[in-house]
Amino acid sequence: MKVNGTHYRSLWWDRGEQVLKIIDQRWLPHDFRVQPVATLQDFCDAITQMRVRGAPLIGATAAYGMALAMRLDPSDAHLDAAWEQLNATRPTAINLRWALDRCRNALRPLASRDRAAAALELAHAIADEDVEINRRIGEHGLEIIREIAARKPTGEPVRLLTHCNAGWIATVDWGTATSPIYQAHDAGLPIHVWVDETRPRNQGALTAWELGSHGIPHAYVTDNAGGHLMQHGLVDMVIVGTDRTTRTGDVCNKIGTYLKALAARDNGVPFYVALPSPTIDWTVSDGVAEIPIEERDAGEVTHVQGALGDGGIGAVRVTPDGTGAANPAFDVTPGRLVTGLITERGVCAASAEGLAALFPERAAA
Ligand SMILES: CSC[C@H]1O[C@H](OP(=O)(O)O)[C@H](O)[C@@H]1O
């Protein structure tokens, strides 16, 4: 999407320098920093340190990591070693494993001399596919927003609430949860977005940065405000992203999503999940029991990063010195609390039947 009028993807291949470039999200929204990713360790650090983040973007980044690995050493042993090294970076978003498996399965049959070029072309394809998938999710989500708008007094905005950042910088472009928002705004529908801050990494600030750059009315709210807003009729629809959705429609997403789904159900607010199909894990059925939840560093909870008075960016400790912290980075919303899954092939129920109807070839595999 656009940053100060200039279109960007969240990562791109610099053909002049023959290197991947990323937006280092650790410094957003205060500083826009582009950096090259030149070594396999750089790729692993970029994912682990959340310089790039968001399930689809993690997958696309890993694909370019495999391309670099094949340029360095196209042997079977290095193909497997790169797969292992990249797969170990973050455990929850299934897009990482999906992209790595897709790359390894495509490269294994090739002669080693052909692997580097093929790997780079596949990484480009995965990135381009993500853009198109998210654009289509936007089209399908737009129709839901239109239906809500039609039931409201003319000119009254559709009020959406979103959690975390499932925006264009969490993907290669468009975002998943934000794609319907962008397309509704661009279609002239009046909308307003409640943006959950999303402790502890405050990815909501990234969403606010995105929406502000696109001229979309929004308000930043504490994670604990959503239930109150819903109780007072101030939310027409919740829309979030996902890092892994089971074949039965259980949705793993940023910590706190489950609580929003409970509040939405209690208040009769539709709760939608924007779901690109690479984020579906067809091998698991019970999300709570089977999806690995990343436990991140306690420092992300005990400290908060932000803009300092001197123009720098820094972190302050908000807890007493010595206080420990737990930091589960995701939770699982059972499909029974989800109104619908917005995929690139259309909207379906958060159920095995719903997903099988849209993806019969995958459900049957
Ligand atoms: C479009 S997927 C975005 C998804 O990823 C985020 O997790 P993280 O920031 O830790 O990578 C969050 O769960 C978003 O919903």
Side-chain angles (χ1 to χ4, degrees):
M1 300 301 278
K2 292 193 174 181
V3 180
N4 297 326
T6 301
H7 179 265
Y8 281 91
R9 284 184 172 187
S10 50
L11 58 67
W12 61 96
W13 182 252
D14 185 315
R15 297 186 186 280
E17 298 178 33
Q18 287 293 294
V19 71
L20 185 73
K21 295 286 180 70
I22 63 170
I23 299 169
D24 185 341
Q25 301 186 28
R26 293 177 298 174
W27 312 110
L28 290 175
H30 310 298
D31 198 5
F32 183 81
R33 297 184 190 176
V34 171
Q35 69 179 213
V37 192
T39 69
L40 197 52
Q41 190 57 50
D42 284 348
F43 275 93
C44 294
D45 292 347
I47 296 170
T48 304
Q49 296 169 9
M50 296 174 67
R51 301 179 195 182
V52 294
R53 42 147 299 280
L57 185 58
I58 290 170
T61 303
Y64 280 102
M66 291 292 269
L68 172 71
M70 291 298 95
R71 199 167 75 196
L72 295 173
D73 170 359
S75 66
D76 284 350
H78 198 235
L79 179 60
D80 290 336
W83 188 100
E84 293 291 345
Q85 198 174 344
L86 288 162
N87 190 56
T89 53
R90 293 187 75 187
T92 302
I94 191 60
N95 308 63
L96 174 60
R97 180 76 177 256
W98 168 84
L100 292 173
D101 283 347
R102 182 170 169 187
C103 291
R104 184 160 68 173
N105 294 340
L107 297 170
R108 176 83 75 195
L110 302 181
S112 55
R113 65 177 177 277
D114 298 328
R115 287 177 174 178
L120 185 58
E121 286 311 307
L122 181 52
H124 293 332
I126 287 172
D128 291 342
E129 286 170 14
D130 181 63
V131 176
E132 178 60 10
I133 285 172
N134 299 334
R135 188 190 65 78
R136 292 181 186 179
I137 286 173
E139 289 180 334
H140 296 302
L142 168 59
E143 293 317 306
I144 296 172
I145 298 173
R146 280 194 200 281
E147 290 168 10
I148 295 173
R151 299 196 293 266
K152 297 176 74 76
T154 302
E156 190 174 304
V158 175
R159 297 153 306 178
L160 303 101
L161 182 142
T162 192
H163 189 70
C164 200
N165 172 257
W168 71 265
I169 50 171
T171 68
V172 179
D173 207 344
W174 281 110
T176 58
T178 58
S179 188
I181 293 171
Y182 290 130
Q183 296 199 31
H185 175 78
D186 293 348
L189 292 177
I191 60 174
H192 177 275
V193 184
W194 301 111
V195 177
D196 275 359
E197 61 179 341
T198 316
R199 288 281 289 135
R201 292 280 301 229
N202 296 336
Q203 288 94 326
L206 304 180
T207 301
W209 175 76
E210 285 193 30
L211 298 181
S213 299
H214 207 78
I216 295 174
H218 62 281
Y220 197 65
V221 295
T222 65
D223 292 327
N224 297 322
H228 166 76
L229 294 170
M230 295 183 214
Q231 281 178 325
H232 289 268
L234 297 174
V235 181
D236 298 307
M237 169 184 176
V238 177
I239 186 167
V240 299
T242 175
D243 296 83
R244 187 185 309 214
T245 293
T246 72
R247 65 182 299 124
T248 58
D250 292 346
V251 173
C252 182
N253 195 50
K254 183 55 53 193
I255 193 78
T257 303
Y258 172 47
L259 295 178
K260 289 296 153 18
L262 287 171
R265 177 53 54 89
D266 192 51
N267 291 281
V269 175
F271 184 93
Y272 283 96
V273 176
L275 170 61
S277 61
T279 311
I280 303 170
D281 184 346
W282 296 97
T283 69
V284 297
S285 298
D286 181 338
V288 173
E290 299 182 77
I291 297 176
I293 301 298
E294 181 182 14
E295 181 73 29
R296 292 189 63 87
D297 186 80
E300 294 183 351
V301 180
T302 58
H303 292 67
V304 175
Q305 176 178 288
L308 304 176
D310 61 3
I313 297 170
V316 295
R317 178 163 42 84
V318 294
T319 55
D321 192 12
T323 293
N327 188 12
F330 300 96
D331 61 23
V332 176
T333 299
R336 59 180 165 78
L337 295 177
V338 177
T339 305
L341 301 171
I342 307 171
T343 80
E344 66 272 23
R345 294 187 184 179
V347 183
C348 69
S351 66
E353 297 74 17
L355 286 169
L358 288 183
F359 301 95
E361 79 284 3
R362 297 304 312 277

